[in-house]
Amino acid sequence: FETYRVGMQIRVALVAKIYSKILRLPSLGSGATNVTSGHVTNLASNDVERFLLTSVYCNFIVLGPIEALLVLVVGLFTIGPVFCAGYALLCLLVPFQFFRRGGRP
């Protein structure tokens, strides 16, 4: 919840900054800028939304490896050395899933 809240605060701040910058631009009829209303809407909706999604999923960068090590330790003590073989096979096959999709997240 907290990361979503921070992401929403970043999103609101960026949208407000975009609109304040647009209000300071010269008139669209002068030809000095090529800013359309569609471009501003795209910035305010689609591009800023990525900051919100990033803030939600950024904690997995830290928690993912810690959780993987915890699973390895618990599996090692519960099942034994055979678990290490299965875990190593899993670690070897995970990158193939990434490349099979074409390398896109």
Side-chain angles (χ1 to χ4, degrees):
F1 173 74
E2 192 64 33
T3 57
Y4 186 81
R5 184 175 170 208
V6 170
M8 188 59 74
Q9 289 173 344
I10 292 171
R11 182 179 183 271
V12 168
L14 286 174
V15 169
K17 192 68 172 172
I18 288 170
Y19 282 125
S20 69
K21 178 70 174 176
I22 291 299
L23 291 175
R24 286 184 281 149
L25 285 176
S27 175
L28 295 177
S30 67
T33 61
N34 290 330
V35 179
T36 63
S37 62
H39 182 71
V40 174
T41 304
N42 186 33
L43 279 174
S45 63
N46 296 334
D47 296 341
V48 175
E49 185 71 23
R50 294 180 190 213
F51 285 100
L52 175 65
L53 293 175
T54 301
S55 69
V56 171
Y57 294 116
C58 71
N59 60 351
F60 292 118
I61 293 173
V62 175
L63 294 179
I66 293 172
E67 188 175 345
L69 287 175
L70 184 66
V71 166
L72 178 64
V73 169
V74 169
L76 187 63
F77 284 121
T78 304
I79 298 174
V82 177
F83 183 80
C84 287
Y87 194 80
L89 183 65
L90 174 73
C91 290
L92 288 174
L93 292 179
V94 165
F96 287 119
Q97 291 179 357
F98 178 73
F99 292 116
R100 188 173 145 212
R101 289 191 315 176
R104 289 176 302 228

